[in-house]
Amino acid sequence: MSRLLRGPSAPRARLRELLEDGSGPVLAPGAYDGLSARLVEQAGFDVVYMTGFGTTASLIGRPDVGLLSGAEMVDNARRIVAAVDLPVIADADTGYGNAINVVRTVQAYEQAGVAGIHLEDQVTPKKCGHMSGKAVIPAGEMAGKIRAAVAARRDPDLVLIARTDAAAVEGLDAAIARAGAYAEAGADLLFVEAPTSEDDIARVARVLAGVAPLVFNWAEGGRTPPLPLQRIGELGFALVLYPIGTLLAATAGIRALLATLKADGTPAAALPGLPAFGEFTDLIGLPEIGDLEQRFGS
């Protein structure tokens, strides 16, 4: 059946099945728009991660320092969900306000069709988790926001991930303690952002083992060591995010093309390394449109 006509495929239940499978970490490459999400799907991955860093960079060409509104983030999530059949996990930043704002944020993301979101305990406006100068709200306030998120979701399969950025502000022990409190508040997964050594990563995994499944953020070029996947699995992480690799790759490709165009006056020399026009239109679903025209056209 055509993607455009297909009904819901229970992506939330599918995400929970994947997380509970126990065969190893679920890999979620980052996507910042519908095209990058389709490429993730066509590469054979099971989950798409909507990156806030990439969303901000792609929509307004600016850094991830809390410049986008919740409505802009939800709109991007909706477009990504519509582009793929995979479960989509979306960055929901701080929930865009207090616990009451979190209620509306959760409902808006749920209506957009995402399978999961993560909420963080930074102050508003937030910063990318691998930037300096972060600040966090009190742990009790964040626990209240998690309780509000749990109460707000209409579909119990919506996965709620609690992220703490406290390691860089209050130290790793405080971050681990916060994560435990967020699990008690009802978070499904725990996400301790930006540990800076393998020992710290192992400590997070050891102390929080059995509390709730854990998220590892394989932030390309960030502060967390780039552990091999085998080691991440050994430590027991359930979900691995690769947030900005697709964005960086796209940036490199566009730069190279523009350099050729600037130097030569045409992009001809760069074309052999690019998808052919027909290949690209197939990639974005032109054959499906042709099938629909045949089916419904006069």
Side-chain angles (χ1 to χ4, degrees):
M1 181 183 289
S2 163
R3 178 193 301 273
L4 295 176
L5 298 177
R6 194 174 297 137
S9 57
R12 293 173 189 143
R14 175 60 180 152
L15 177 59
R16 286 190 176 272
E17 289 172 5
L18 289 166
L19 292 170
E20 295 168 4
D21 177 74
S23 61
V26 176
L27 309 184
Y32 50 87
D33 62 7
L35 174 59
S36 54
R38 285 182 68 102
L39 290 169
V40 170
E41 182 176 54
Q42 291 171 14
F45 291 94
D46 293 318
V47 178
V48 174
Y49 171 60
M50 189 195 89
T51 157
F53 185 105
T55 296
T56 306
S58 64
L59 289 184
I60 62 173
R62 296 297 181 186
D64 183 14
V65 292
L67 297 176
L68 291 187
S69 69
E72 289 171 308
M73 291 286 285
V74 170
D75 280 346
N76 200 40
R78 184 178 294 109
R79 288 190 291 269
I80 288 174
V81 167
V84 297
D85 290 330
L86 302 182
V88 176
I89 298 172
D91 186 346
D93 296 315
T94 64
Y96 312 103
N98 62 17
I100 308 306
N101 297 107
V102 166
V103 169
R104 184 163 185 257
T105 295
V106 169
Q107 292 174 349
Y109 272 100
E110 190 170 17
Q111 290 165 4
V114 301
I117 62 171
H118 66 73
L119 295 162
E120 65 200 53
D121 58 5
Q122 286 195 54
V123 301
T124 301
K126 53 74 59 82
K127 292 184 177 180
C128 167
H130 292 259
M131 293 179 181
S132 59
K134 296 187 294 183
V136 293
I137 62 175
E141 181 180 350
M142 181 62 181
K145 291 169 81 167
I146 296 299
R147 290 195 298 272
V150 172
R153 65 181 170 189
R154 296 182 173 94
D155 183 347
D157 278 336
L158 178 71
V159 173
L160 297 175
I161 302 169
R163 169 177 144 180
T164 178
D165 286 70
V169 182
E170 300 175 344
L172 190 65
D173 287 340
I176 292 172
R178 280 174 173 257
Y182 303 160
E184 290 181 6
D188 297 306
L189 275 77
L190 302 176
F191 178 175
V192 177
E193 175 67 302
T196 56
S197 71
E198 184 171 348
D199 286 345
D200 285 351
I201 297 166
R203 193 156 139 226
V204 167
R206 182 175 64 253
V207 176
L208 293 175
V211 175
L214 301 179
V215 178
F216 185 89
N217 191 18
W218 210 104
E220 298 89 337
R223 296 185 175 191
T224 300
L227 298 188
L229 181 60
Q230 181 179 348
R231 177 59 174 153
I232 297 169
E234 290 170 352
L235 291 170
F237 285 88
L239 174 66
V240 184
L241 308 178
Y242 299 91
I244 62 171
T246 56
L247 176 71
L248 299 178
T251 300
I254 293 169
R255 273 182 172 171
L257 172 70
L258 293 175
T260 299
L261 179 58
K262 180 68 173 176
D264 300 349
T266 79
L271 292 181
L274 303 180
F277 181 80
E279 177 188 355
F280 186 80
T281 55
D282 284 352
L283 182 155
I284 57 175
L286 184 59
E288 178 185 349
I289 302 299
D291 291 342
L292 293 173
E293 288 174 341
Q294 290 291 322
R295 181 175 176 182
F296 300 119
S298 57

